[in-house]
Amino acid sequence: APGSQSELFTLMSRAAVHAHPSWLESPGLSSLEAAACGMQIVTGDRGSECEYFRSYAHYADPADPDSIRAALGAALAAGRRPLGDALEKRLRSFTWRQHAEATLDAYGRALAMHG
């Protein structure tokens, strides 16, 4: 069907770069999906994106067109990412269960510190 999710993933599997250099973003579902489809990622440098993508993304200052242009150029020069690479494996490790366990652990340590 036109506009279906399968059509979206087909198009994403052909693209080289996904750019979403926003002011504040938890990494953004569209960026995560694009990374899983093998695209290079250009994202903002102000939110928590670096915690997810680390060295696998190209970062840009959303207020600076030259910074965005440079990040896009670097991402295009890098080419598509092979599926199954280290970034995809890293992103697949982010699960709700893992998040809940880490949160529970953090609360336990905070309570232990403050009696």
Side-chain angles (χ1 to χ4, degrees):
S4 69
Q5 189 172 26
S6 63
E7 182 181 16
L8 172 65
F9 288 130
T10 298
L11 292 171
M12 290 175 78
S13 71
R14 296 178 187 158
V17 175
H18 169 79
H20 191 207
S22 67
W23 284 94
L24 179 62
E25 187 69 42
S26 58
L29 183 56
S30 62
S31 294
L32 294 169
E33 289 172 334
C37 288
M39 298 165 78
Q40 292 288 332
I41 304 300
V42 173
T43 189
D45 62 0
R46 310 238 170 143
S48 63
E49 298 95 324
C50 64
E51 294 175 20
Y52 285 81
F53 296 117
R54 294 188 177 161
S55 64
Y56 298 106
H58 304 269
Y59 297 94
D61 178 347
D64 182 359
D66 290 332
S67 174
I68 296 169
R69 187 177 302 109
L72 286 169
L76 284 169
R80 285 189 54 82
R81 193 185 321 279
L83 293 178
D85 75 352
L87 173 60
E88 182 182 358
K89 290 174 187 166
R90 174 172 165 65
L91 295 178
R92 289 186 187 279
S93 73
F94 291 116
T95 65
W96 284 111
R97 177 180 275 303
Q98 180 189 34
H99 179 74
E101 289 171 355
T103 301
L104 182 61
D105 180 58
Y107 277 117
R109 285 183 283 128
L111 289 171
M113 288 172 44
H114 297 289

